[in-house]
Amino acid sequence: AQKVFNVKDYGAIEDGNTDNTWSDACKWNGVATVLIPNGTYMLKSVIFNGPCNGSITFEINGVLKAPIDPSMLADQKWINFRYVDKLTINGGGTLNGQGTATRQKCQNDSCQILFTTMVLDFITNGRIENLHSGDSKGGHFIVFGSGNITFTNLTLTSPANNRNTDGIKTSHTNGINITNVKIGTGDDCIAMISGTKNVRIKNVFCGPGHGISVGSLGGGGNPPDLPVEDVVVKNCTFNSSINGVQIKTWPFPLKTPLSVSNFIYEDIVMINVKNPIFINQQYCPKHNCDLTKSSHVQISNVSYKNIRGSSATDIAVNLNCSMELPCQNVTLEDIDLSSSGRDGRQHIKNYCSHVKGFSYGKQIPPSCLPNNKFRTTPLPY
């Protein structure tokens, strides 16, 4: 049986706080929908806990607004779903994080780490679709400890100068599909960190932002990072972003080296991107690392194919790998990147350090990997 639980029936009023109808919907023995109808509703920090008795849809038709005052939010999260199977979040509505107003209000150290709009913890078979998330305080979506999660037909926007506003960040999750998503933020459009596996990213537009990133990894945290594996990024466009496709690891010794492997980047357009193709195993944003140390993250099986467009700097392909653990089996096939400046391709180049692999097909600018005119063995992944 299907039933709709309308927040207005539970006392929610426009321009006032929404009441939590979740409890009744979660107990429903059937297909339940929590409906936020048209209108604007203020919402403090809320946790929607499962498990639920059936599949459940959280349908946002209206606008949900976060409090400006960060003291009204808890645990660095605004909206948090936990332990739910068969969860759909949709409706065509808007999540308004009011991040710019919060930053203007506090302007001190309490705003260094800001609140994530929506956190999905231990969700299985989840689908987030047809929503707009705007002006987040921190990141837009974080996924942790989950499986089989789809993001589709979303628009995620934050001002480019609002830092730590990642679009979608995933960790300890097996099975992520991201399709038809437009992201413009002040940080990574998509960040895949510790324990992310089996990711398919397709038809994503990124810009402004810091690109689609694996990492950062290997920073020596506790617990230690887990492998990131099996990532495919296809048919994506980057416009005026800091990075395009990026893998970033810290120059930090680890007790046990970390392996990250099996990445395919294919059919990608770069428009005025500062670092279109970037492996950075000396990632150190505060410039306080000992760069004589090597990253203990082993990167292997990385394929870049049919990537074209323009670079905003004079290095189109930058493969800066670990001295102790060189990148293994990196391939570049049909790369055509020109300078977005006036002088076209005159001064643009590629850079390789401690990387083992080959290039195939068109290579503009000339590849820094040895060229094989004929591929003799198929890709092993």
Side-chain angles (χ1 to χ4, degrees):
Q2 298 187 20
K3 186 171 181 178
V4 175
F5 297 80
N6 190 323
V7 295
K8 283 196 169 184
D9 296 336
Y10 286 75
I13 58 172
E14 288 188 45
D15 299 314
N17 287 319
T18 54
D19 227 62
N20 187 359
T21 61
W22 176 265
S23 180
D24 284 358
C26 192
K27 293 173 185 173
W28 179 252
N29 286 306
V31 178
T33 297
V34 174
L35 175 64
I36 295 92
N38 288 328
T40 299
Y41 305 86
M42 297 298 298
L43 183 64
K44 297 178 184 177
S45 280
V46 61
I47 296 173
F48 297 117
N49 269 315
C52 298
N53 287 333
S55 63
I56 191 162
T57 297
F58 199 85
E59 184 177 329
I60 305 168
N61 295 164
V63 177
L64 292 179
K65 293 180 79 170
I68 293 173
D69 185 349
S71 68
M72 298 177 69
L73 294 167
D75 196 25
Q76 303 299 325
K77 301 170 183 177
W78 177 25
I79 302 169
N80 186 193
F81 291 89
R82 295 179 179 174
Y83 302 103
V84 183
D85 181 38
K86 298 177 184 173
L87 170 69
T88 299
I89 305 168
N90 62 15
T94 297
L95 303 169
N96 182 354
Q98 299 209 88
T100 300
T102 299
R103 289 167 190 265
Q104 291 170 348
K105 179 180 175 64
C106 52
Q107 289 187 345
N108 57 37
D109 288 344
S110 69
C111 284
Q112 293 301 307
I113 300 174
L114 291 162
F115 299 84
T116 303
T117 293
M118 186 175 289
V119 179
L120 305 172
D121 290 323
F122 309 105
I123 305 299
T124 51
N125 304 307
R127 187 175 180 88
I128 299 87
E129 63 183 349
N130 192 24
L131 290 174
H132 174 77
S133 175
D135 198 16
S136 59
K137 288 177 171 41
H140 290 267
F141 291 93
I142 288 181
V143 184
F144 178 83
S146 299
N148 188 25
I149 306 295
T150 294
F151 293 89
T152 186
N153 296 316
L154 304 174
T155 303
L156 315 179
T157 57
S158 299
N161 58 352
N162 283 7
R163 53 200 176 83
N164 299 322
T165 51
D166 299 81
I168 300 171
K169 180 178 282 188
T170 68
S171 71
H172 298 82
T173 292
N174 190 338
I176 294 279
N177 293 284
I178 302 172
T179 62
N180 300 319
V181 176
K182 185 175 182 180
I183 307 173
T185 72
D187 210 313
D188 293 326
C189 290
I190 299 170
M192 294 162 276
I193 60 175
S194 176
T196 299
K197 297 184 178 182
N198 294 313
V199 182
R200 301 295 178 266
I201 298 169
K202 188 175 181 181
N203 296 330
V204 168
F205 180 96
C206 171
H210 294 185
I212 293 179
S213 298
V214 172
S216 59
L217 295 168
N222 191 19
D225 287 332
L226 296 176
V228 176
E229 298 171 339
D230 302 314
V231 175
V232 178
V233 180
K234 292 188 71 172
N235 296 107
C236 294
T237 299
F238 299 81
N239 190 342
S240 301
S241 54
I242 302 296
N243 306 299
V245 290
Q246 173 184 219
I247 301 172
K248 49 185 176 178
T249 76
W250 293 84
F252 198 88
L254 303 174
K255 290 182 180 178
T256 304
L258 175 69
S259 172
V260 301
S261 60
N262 298 354
F263 305 103
I264 296 173
Y265 302 99
E266 188 172 350
D267 299 331
I268 291 170
V269 174
M270 306 285 182
I271 304 168
N272 193 39
V273 175
K274 288 186 177 178
N275 304 296
I277 296 173
F278 197 14
I279 294 178
N280 182 10
Q281 295 212 255
Q282 291 184 314
Y283 177 75
C284 185
K286 294 184 178 180
H287 308 290
N288 57 351
C289 305
D290 181 355
L291 295 183
T292 66
K293 304 289 187 186
S294 287
S295 174
H296 280 207
V297 178
Q298 175 68 74
I299 296 172
S300 61
N301 296 349
V302 187
S303 168
Y304 302 96
K305 182 177 181 181
N306 191 25
I307 298 177
R308 61 199 186 278
S310 59
S311 171
T313 64
D314 60 0
I315 298 181
V317 179
N318 188 345
L319 306 179
N320 183 18
C321 294
S322 168
M323 183 170 56
E324 280 190 36
L325 296 170
C327 296
Q328 303 289 327
N329 193 25
V330 176
T331 59
L332 295 164
E333 183 171 355
D334 294 330
I335 308 298
D336 188 350
L337 293 166
S338 62
S339 170
S340 53
R342 293 181 182 176
D343 52 2
R345 299 189 175 102
Q346 290 177 19
H347 303 295
I348 197 168
K349 60 187 178 183
N350 292 341
Y351 174 80
C352 289
S353 178
H354 308 295
V355 53
K356 298 180 180 180
F358 291 98
S359 62
Y360 305 90
K362 180 189 292 186
Q363 296 292 323
I364 301 173
S367 179
C368 49
L369 293 179
N371 183 265
N372 267 9
K373 291 185 178 179
F374 304 101
R375 189 188 296 281
T376 55
T377 55
L379 290 172
Y381 50 94

